[in-house]
Amino acid sequence: MSYRLLHFTFPTICWTDIFKPLPRSISSHLKFRVWCSSDCKNRNQGEIMEQVVADGAEVMVGDPELLQRKISSIRLEGPAKLQVIADFDSTLTKYWVDGHRGHSSHGLLQQGNPEYDVKRQKLYEYYHPLEIDPTIPIDEKAKLMEEWWEKTHGLLIEGGLTYGAIKSSVANSRIAFRDGVLELFELLEKSNVPILIFSAGLADIIEEVLRQKLHRSFKNVKIVSNRMVFDQNGHLVSFKGKTIHVLNKNEHAIDMAAPVHDQLGDVNGLVDDASSVKMRTNVLLLGDHIGDLGMSDGLNYKTQISVGFLNDNIEISRDSYRKSFDVVYMNDASMRGVVKLASQLCSMGK
């Protein structure tokens, strides 16, 4: 399979009746870099751009016509039938921060015991290359990931982690949300669309990152991740439920989710339980691993648009990502293109 890199700079953009035009001040300056497989060379280039809008990002769309049909179908049923499923580390958050590899929700943690911090770092150095190695079969990699997670959780308990250490670790961490994440969350909250954050990290840390970095909570956000149990003195004593790692996080685990709010749901109809989430059969899925596509396992969805962020090993992984995701953003792109896509999906009747 060969690719052509298409560069576009347009003074105006012609949208079909499905799409609302961008403000003139924005549309006159947008540049697009779209990777298109060789079998789409005869397609109308404007149709590709209508699906993938991002400021200067490199984007792959494997099948523009299929993406168009999916967008049309989801818009027809409206935001009441839509949910967003998102990975956290390196999907909502940046892969690179200030020229350095950004911290993950596991990796940022400094538990106040240098010996155990070193032990967890050694585990990372051994297992992370295996995590991103595209040559390891998924079933074999899943066993390795479970092994890594359980060893790490054991070290956190053994090393005497406290909740106070979580707060200070987040404050001193190298973690940042992609540009556009706050706008995405606000758009979806306004549209009463639930966001399920599926993470192989630690729910307690993710909640603290949201508090410290976005400075607000969202009624429509739920976190499906590994949740800690602390004693009355704030010391970690155990973890709840089955271990969630990068290759087994999905809607089967939704009962573990907790909202980033005292109560999820209000008179305007925001989602308040697992059963009502599953009634939303259209999905916008965001991830950075091909394994993240399994996050919707357990949901009998009707239409799903999958968006992948290809942050590393780009040349090796380009073809597999293009075949797996509907849209792929490369090189640690912003979330701006997803904001545009989500606004179209929520714009029924507008």
Side-chain angles (χ1 to χ4, degrees):
M1 179 69 69
S2 61
Y3 297 90
R4 298 180 304 120
L5 179 56
L6 309 177
H7 295 264
F8 303 102
T9 303
F10 286 83
T12 59
I13 297 176
C14 295
W15 303 88
T16 67
D17 57 358
I18 294 176
F19 292 87
K20 295 175 63 179
L22 289 170
R24 183 176 302 172
S25 61
I26 298 177
S27 64
S28 62
H29 295 94
L30 277 177
K31 294 184 178 180
F32 303 88
R33 303 185 70 198
V34 180
W35 286 91
C36 188
S37 58
S38 57
D39 61 355
C40 72
K41 61 185 177 181
N42 295 321
R43 300 186 193 277
N44 183 287
Q45 295 176 353
E47 290 181 3
I48 298 173
M49 295 189 326
E50 288 168 355
Q51 321 309 320
V52 186
V53 179
D55 357 294
E58 290 184 55
V59 186
M60 290 190 294
V61 177
D63 190 334
E65 290 182 356
L66 176 60
L67 178 60
Q68 173 70 59
R69 290 196 299 271
K70 288 183 175 184
I71 292 173
S72 299
S73 176
I74 292 176
R75 285 197 62 184
L76 185 64
E77 295 195 329
K81 285 290 186 179
L82 177 65
Q83 64 172 293
V84 174
I85 299 173
D87 171 54
F88 187 76
D89 293 317
S90 300
T91 297
L92 295 178
T93 62
K94 295 179 179 180
Y95 192 80
W96 298 103
V97 178
D98 297 329
H100 299 277
R101 177 71 171 87
H103 284 137
S104 68
S105 56
H106 255 301
L108 66 81
L109 186 59
Q110 299 296 311
Q111 61 190 95
N113 187 325
E115 176 187 354
Y116 283 86
D117 289 337
V118 170
K119 289 181 178 180
R120 288 188 298 109
Q121 179 62 28
K122 287 182 178 179
L123 289 178
Y124 175 86
E125 291 169 358
Y126 175 77
Y127 284 102
H128 179 63
L130 303 178
E131 177 189 1
I132 64 174
D133 187 341
T135 67
I136 299 176
I138 291 294
D139 55 347
E140 180 181 342
K141 187 178 290 189
K143 293 178 182 178
L144 291 168
M145 295 303 98
E146 184 170 359
E147 184 180 279
W148 179 14
W149 260 245
E150 291 186 352
K151 286 181 180 179
T152 297
H153 290 175
L155 289 176
L156 292 176
I157 296 171
E158 185 180 336
L161 177 68
T162 66
Y163 194 80
I166 290 177
K167 289 184 176 180
S168 61
S169 293
V170 172
N172 297 318
S173 69
R174 191 170 60 245
I175 191 169
F177 286 101
R178 293 182 189 270
D179 294 341
V181 166
L182 179 60
E183 292 89 336
L184 178 65
F185 280 18
E186 290 176 340
L187 167 68
L188 295 170
E189 183 179 50
K190 182 179 179 180
S191 301
N192 291 343
V193 174
I195 305 168
L196 301 181
I197 298 176
F198 283 73
S199 175
L202 299 165
D204 307 81
I205 292 179
I206 292 170
E207 290 171 354
E208 192 62 33
V209 172
L210 287 166
R211 279 191 287 267
Q212 292 192 27
K213 303 299 182 179
L214 298 184
H215 309 294
R216 58 156 297 187
S217 61
F218 296 87
K219 294 179 180 180
N220 61 325
V221 174
K222 297 183 76 172
I223 298 174
V224 182
S225 187
N226 298 291
R227 191 165 292 279
M228 301 175 175
V229 178
F230 294 90
D231 65 19
Q232 60 184 4
N233 296 315
H235 290 87
L236 175 64
V237 294
S238 65
F239 284 82
K240 290 183 179 179
K242 182 180 179 181
T243 300
I244 300 175
H245 56 74
V246 290
L247 296 179
N248 74 346
K249 53 188 181 183
N250 56 55
E251 292 224 7
H252 289 299
I254 194 172
D255 291 333
M256 294 177 61
V260 189
H261 193 266
D262 293 335
Q263 279 191 320
L264 186 69
D266 61 17
V267 295
N268 293 320
L270 293 182
V271 174
D272 59 0
D273 57 37
S275 61
S276 56
V277 168
K278 292 185 178 182
M279 294 296 290
R280 293 174 176 259
T281 52
N282 294 324
V283 176
L284 174 60
L285 184 147
L286 314 176
D288 71 304
H289 283 275
I290 290 176
D292 288 339
L293 292 167
M295 292 189 296
S296 58
D297 289 352
L299 174 67
N300 186 25
Y301 62 81
K302 178 180 178 182
T303 303
Q304 174 172 285
I305 295 176
S306 57
V307 176
F309 288 87
L310 178 51
N311 301 306
D312 203 359
N313 288 327
I314 291 174
E315 292 305 318
I316 296 175
S317 303
R318 186 192 309 278
D319 194 53
S320 60
Y321 271 63
R322 180 194 61 81
K323 292 177 180 178
S324 301
F325 291 94
D326 293 303
V327 182
V328 180
Y329 291 95
M330 294 179 283
N331 291 313
D332 209 18
S334 78
M335 195 63 68
R336 304 289 184 194
V338 178
V339 173
K340 177 61 183 176
L341 174 59
S343 69
Q344 298 301 323
L345 299 180
C346 294
S347 62
M348 177 183 182
K350 296 181 182 179

